[in-house]
Amino acid sequence: MFRRVAVLLLVFFSCSANAQQAFPFHNKPGAYAVGFRTVQQSDLSRSYKGKPRPIQTAIWYPARKGGTPMRYDDYLQLLGWDDDFTRPPAEREKVLAEWLKIVNEDKPAAEVAAERRDVLWAVRDARALPGKFPVVIYSPSISSNVFENAEMMEYLASHGYLVIASPALGIEGRWQKDDLAHAEAQAADIRFLVDYAQTLPEADPSRLAAAGFSWGGMANVLAAAQDERIKALVCLDGTVRYRHDMLSKVPYLKPEQLRTPLLYLAQRPPPFERGLKFKPDHSGSILLKMKGADVWLLTMYAMEHFHFGTSYLRLDPLTFDEFSREEVAQSYALSARYVLNFLNGALKGDKAGFDYLMKKPEQVGVAPHTVHSQHFPASL
């Protein structure tokens, strides 16, 4: 009898220990294995704390099969040196610990541990496949990390894209300010990475897109307004939709002159009262002013703003109201598929990619009313 109770208790505690599950990414990988590497670069033309501006560069790429996939904790370690390449290991650990303390203050330790040990797809420093691949430059949300949407970046690399990202740094400190100068500094980081892509043997820089979430989804539009090498734009609930007054002061940003196709994935409309509190500036929407480019606006009804970044979904104590965590996970996976199909259309000339954006929810395997798609075709 004692042995039976002991076995039952062991099973119970084992199940309890495994009850915490990491945030699921529901898409299957494409035909390519995924490699990941980092490069320490500096922009000598700009200063940061009295030194050349550091550009911690993360690269996801199609790779040869084999090797041990990374855990999410491997991505977290990048936080320790994202603005200072000279920090010793002990200092890097301190930076990470402080960041986790701030982010995870109200999140159960077991949930954080489950996320840190979760296994992803990429293999660090895997051998790159030969060939030329279209490029995606990814720009994070305000003050955020380089791996903010690592799952989506791995997904794109598994479908034959070279993805390059850097953190969202302030002008003279780690944290950004909500002003135009910091947005333009991040846009300059994007252009730095566009330059860098020209030097990579596996990159096809003639097929290059800039993607960004939130603040990064405004910086990438600013970059495209100054750099014709950017051939497509992806905004994950980008700030560009909400800051008309700020953008109207940018002399070189002329939306009607942009010829860059844009995919905008939007959060569900907030309640009226919340809109009064946060006061987004929708007046003069840049999406409607881009008369010279095709624009797709897809509203993801299961998703709020922070749901477009998996580092938030994994580590922040987010609440899930009328939609469950699983429904948000399914919607995030669908968002990644929309991004892939848009890029296939814009960079690979695949008409089926653009057609996918206009399909009804049930045609792409999700529940009715999950998403609403609008297309504003170029008229100039």
Side-chain angles (χ1 to χ4, degrees):
M1 177 68 178
F2 175 79
R3 289 184 62 189
R4 290 181 60 191
V5 172
V7 169
L8 289 173
L9 287 173
L10 179 62
V11 171
F12 172 79
F13 285 116
S14 297
C15 292
S16 298
N18 293 325
Q20 303 297 338
Q21 299 295 317
F23 183 79
F25 182 59
H26 289 300
N27 291 331
K28 295 180 180 179
Y32 298 95
V34 179
F36 177 79
R37 67 179 186 267
T38 56
V39 180
Q40 298 178 0
Q41 301 194 87
S42 297
D43 185 347
L44 302 179
S45 69
R46 294 181 292 157
S47 67
Y48 180 86
K49 299 182 179 179
K51 300 178 181 180
R53 183 174 178 82
I55 308 289
Q56 182 195 57
T57 306
I59 308 171
W60 291 266
Y61 54 94
R64 297 188 186 278
K65 297 184 184 299
T68 302
M70 296 168 58
R71 294 183 180 273
Y72 197 72
D73 193 64
D74 295 319
Y75 283 123
L76 282 172
Q77 301 306 315
L78 300 175
L79 285 163
W81 57 278
D82 65 357
D83 71 330
D84 186 350
F85 304 153
T86 66
R87 283 197 189 104
E91 287 297 314
R92 294 184 180 191
E93 292 177 7
K94 183 179 178 181
V95 169
L96 173 57
E98 290 175 350
W99 188 87
L100 287 173
K101 182 179 179 181
I102 294 171
V103 173
N104 303 316
E105 186 175 4
D106 299 318
K107 194 174 181 72
E111 293 183 16
V112 177
E115 300 295 350
R116 297 186 71 167
R117 64 174 177 262
D118 191 31
V119 178
L120 281 80
W121 297 350
V123 174
R124 187 187 292 276
D125 297 322
R127 291 179 61 193
L129 282 177
K132 293 280 190 179
F133 300 99
V135 179
V136 179
I137 307 296
Y138 178 76
S139 188
S141 60
I142 194 164
S143 298
S144 195
N145 54 72
V146 74
F147 58 89
E148 176 182 74
N149 270 307
E151 296 84 349
M152 190 180 293
M153 305 306 103
E154 291 184 344
Y155 179 65
L156 294 176
S158 79
H159 284 273
Y161 287 88
L162 182 70
V163 185
I164 308 173
S166 63
L169 301 183
I171 295 175
E172 284 294 343
R174 179 61 188 86
W175 307 111
Q176 292 177 303
K177 295 180 181 179
D178 182 0
D179 61 30
L180 182 58
H182 281 76
E184 292 189 305
Q186 190 163 336
D189 290 345
I190 294 171
R191 297 199 306 276
F192 178 91
L193 295 180
V194 172
D195 288 338
Y196 175 63
Q198 317 297 308
T199 71
L200 298 177
E202 65 269 42
D204 179 355
S206 68
R207 298 183 293 165
L208 186 146
F213 166 42
S214 190
W215 191 254
M218 178 170 64
N220 66 340
V221 177
L222 294 175
Q226 296 180 290
D227 197 329
E228 293 183 351
R229 294 173 298 177
I230 298 173
K231 304 300 184 184
L233 288 164
V234 174
C235 294
L236 304 176
D237 207 41
T239 304
V240 71
R241 191 185 183 200
Y242 305 115
R243 302 302 294 273
H244 170 67
D245 183 61
M246 176 188 287
L247 294 173
S248 67
K249 296 178 173 64
V250 181
Y252 57 83
L253 179 62
K254 302 184 184 303
E256 64 280 0
Q257 294 181 9
L258 282 172
R259 298 294 183 267
T260 316
L262 183 147
L263 170 67
Y264 193 103
L265 296 172
Q267 65 174 324
R268 67 175 174 268
F272 178 73
E273 290 77 10
R274 187 184 301 177
L276 288 178
K277 180 179 179 181
F278 292 104
K279 297 181 180 178
D281 182 6
H282 289 110
S283 63
S285 171
I286 191 173
L287 304 186
L288 296 179
K289 288 184 176 182
M290 291 178 59
K291 300 294 186 181
D294 282 286
V295 175
W296 285 264
L297 171 60
L298 279 72
T299 303
M300 312 299 292
Y301 284 107
M303 301 179 73
E304 296 184 22
H305 182 70
F306 284 104
H307 295 162
F308 288 94
T310 54
S311 65
Y312 299 102
L313 288 166
R314 285 179 176 273
L315 298 171
D316 278 30
L318 299 177
T319 57
F320 297 89
D321 299 324
E322 57 189 291
F323 293 91
S324 69
R325 186 172 187 262
E326 174 58 22
E327 288 173 314
V328 170
Q330 294 286 352
S331 192
Y332 180 88
L334 176 60
S335 296
R337 297 197 296 275
Y338 280 133
V339 171
L340 173 64
N341 278 279
F342 169 76
L343 293 173
N344 286 347
L347 300 184
K348 296 183 178 181
D350 181 5
K351 183 178 179 298
F354 289 144
D355 291 343
Y356 185 94
L357 304 180
M358 303 305 298
K359 290 184 177 180
K360 295 180 179 179
E362 52 270 30
Q363 292 177 299
V364 294
V366 297
H369 313 299
T370 300
V371 59
H372 176 64
S373 177
Q374 296 172 272
H375 177 212
F376 307 106
S379 57
L380 293 179

